[in-house]
Amino acid sequence: MRIAEIALSAIIAFAVVYVIYQNDRGNSVLLSSTSNNYTVAINSVPKAMADSLLAIPVTITGERNEKIKFLFRYALPKMRDIEHLYRYGATPLTVVDSSAGLYQANVRIGAKGTLSYYYIEIRDPVGRNIAGLKNTDGQPLTTLAIGQVDSWVKYGYYICLFIAALLVTMGAFGSIRIIAGKAEAESAGKIFLLAALFTIVAVFVLGNLYRLQLIAGGWQGTPWGINVSDNLKQILVIYLIFISLAFRIVKTKSSKMQTIFPKAALEYMGIVSFFVMITALILPLFVGKDYENIPVIFYAFLALLVISYFLVLRRTKHA
């Protein structure tokens, strides 16, 4: 393996894990809304420690008098119809510095894994809603209650994920070199097998411990759940195990096994492993947490894996 390939693989793997780490932290963004000469601004708080009182600064510019009410609206405990915002509780915002338009919303954070729903509302003297602040999609703001995660679990998870991403990227580069006739298939098989093992440890062992301590949640991949991230990572593990075993079988002297797993087909599938990894680790950061049709996608991928393999197999036979 060339030094340049290892270095580039390490950079790519670090970039992937860094993006995941930053997303797991829950990045705060500035939200603002202007209506009827009032502007409300708040820095979002995606995550907060469970069973605590969270103080969120709120900035409001516009006319201020005793008849204008600046309210903090929040979902009541055990409230089921979260989408019915008119049923939310209401309490005045805490005044920090009225002349500067600085206020504070006190959010009660619940048990691990629960969401707190809230938004800001401004009412005129007759009680009409004239301004306020909700999420960009018109839904209430949310904060996820999280717990403390042991350092060895947290950093062990990210380290294993980094090693897995590093090995997959190295395996993809190795597949390119095999196509160019500069490497043997056996070496790529060992790399993908190690990648599969580290992915299993990261996803199924440390990842589950991480989630259990963070939000008191468990594995939600098919057939146990519809979590997008879990299902895509499950797909990645299956794919890596498949190609690592297939690369190993290429070594056999049996002509029948050589036909089932032709080296030329696996070389291209080794390259595809990189894109499967990127999709499994990065795509969930930009889509919803749960998707009811994800089991269909999961089983469709398994079918696609078989179909695409035999399409490549057919092509290599005629090459």
Side-chain angles (χ1 to χ4, degrees), residues 9-24 158 161-162 164-166 169 236 274 277-283 285:
S9 297
I11 292 172
I12 293 173
F14 178 82
V16 169
V17 175
Y18 180 77
V19 170
I20 296 172
Y21 174 74
Q22 289 296 324
N23 181 79
D24 288 346
Y158 289 116
L161 206 59
F162 168 79
L166 172 66
T169 308
L236 174 61
F274 173 78
M277 176 196 72
I278 293 297
T279 300
L281 299 182
I282 301 299
L283 182 61
L285 307 183

Side-chain angles (χ1 to χ4, degrees), residues 202-257:
V203 172
F204 294 107
V205 181
L206 294 175
N208 271 333
L209 285 174
Y210 192 156
R211 177 179 295 173
L212 184 63
Q213 295 183 7
L214 189 71
I215 59 173
W219 182 255
Q220 297 177 30
T222 300
W224 299 280
I226 57 173
N227 182 272
V228 174
S229 178
D230 286 351
N231 276 279
L232 290 179
K233 288 174 181 175
Q234 194 166 256
I235 286 173
L236 174 61
V237 169
I238 292 172
Y239 188 85
L240 291 176
I241 291 175
F242 174 81
I243 62 173
S244 63
L245 294 177
F247 265 111
R248 297 288 291 175
I249 291 175
V250 166
K251 294 196 317 175
T252 182
K253 296 181 181 180
S254 169
S255 58
K256 181 178 180 181
M257 298 305 291

